[in-house]
Amino acid sequence: MNSKDIGKKIKSVRSKRKLTQQVLADLAGITKSHISKIENGLTTPTLVTLSKIAKALDSPTSWFIEQEEHGELSIVRKDNREAIEEKNEIGYEYELLANKKNMSLITPTIVSVLPGAETVDPYIHENDEFILILTGSIILSYDGKKYEMNIGDSAYFSGKKPHIFLSNSKQHTTVLTIYIDNN
């Protein structure tokens, strides 16, 4: 699903709930301008932003991105994974792995952490997070402490504490990330 389709779904749900862009922006903690750009397909929301919008709309994040479905089975072919690039200094790219539109508890994702990203402030979100380093190395900053993590290392943590991970490698780093809705 491309950014225009995601934007159309967000606009559709927002309209059905009779919310203005400003009200949705306030509920999601982002700007009205950003909501407008997403709805008009001018920018692709990051997974964190999409999660905030989904929560504000009381919808599962995965509903906004559909893939091949067979009853209760959702298959996402490697060549058809939706890549969402974050257009800022963090330098993340996301590939959603399972997109069952009725699934609301987990969102499995591969996060590609590009080398050379600037140091940025940690962020928070409502979901718990599980990460497993698949390639490369990261520095996980969590609640004011830094942890070096290498291939095969994993962590589970609350997204409500300030956190971020940045590449600690000269190569492309990939991290299996599972966002868990614990609300």
Side-chain angles (χ1 to χ4, degrees), residues 117-146:
E118 298 176 23
T119 301
V120 295
D121 292 330
Y123 57 94
I124 61 172
H125 53 78
E126 293 298 312
N127 300 344
D128 282 357
E129 203 168 320
F130 169 83
I131 62 173
L132 171 67
I133 312 308
L134 301 175
T135 65
S137 174
I138 64 165
I139 296 292
L140 170 64
S141 174
Y142 183 76
D143 200 22
K145 295 181 182 174
K146 294 186 188 280

Side-chain angles (χ1 to χ4, degrees), residues 10 13 17 19 23-30 35 46-64 104 107 124-128 159-160 180-183:
I10 290 170
V13 174
R17 301 235 162 101
L19 299 175
V23 170
L24 177 57
D26 292 343
L27 290 170
I30 57 180
I35 292 287
T46 66
L47 195 56
V48 171
T49 299
L50 189 59
S51 175
K52 288 178 182 180
I53 292 170
K55 182 174 181 177
L57 293 172
D58 195 29
S59 299
T61 304
S62 57
W63 184 82
F64 293 101
S104 61
T107 306
I124 61 172
H125 53 78
E126 293 298 312
N127 300 344
D128 282 357
K160 294 178 183 178
I180 300 104
D181 184 359
N182 56 9
N183 295 325

Side-chain angles (χ1 to χ4, degrees), residues 52-103:
K52 288 178 182 180
I53 292 170
K55 182 174 181 177
L57 293 172
D58 195 29
S59 299
T61 304
S62 57
W63 184 82
F64 293 101
I65 303 168
E66 291 180 48
Q67 296 294 335
E68 182 179 341
E69 292 192 33
H70 306 278
E72 294 182 9
L73 171 66
S74 173
I75 297 174
V76 180
R77 306 282 181 200
K78 182 178 180 183
D79 294 342
N80 294 330
R81 278 190 215 148
E82 177 67 23
I84 301 174
E85 294 183 25
E86 184 159 328
K87 304 291 186 195
N88 68 21
E89 66 279 0
I90 296 176
Y92 287 178
E93 293 178 352
Y94 300 96
E95 288 183 75
L96 300 178
L97 300 175
N99 305 311
K100 184 87 171 110
K101 63 180 159 181
N102 295 322
M103 183 190 308

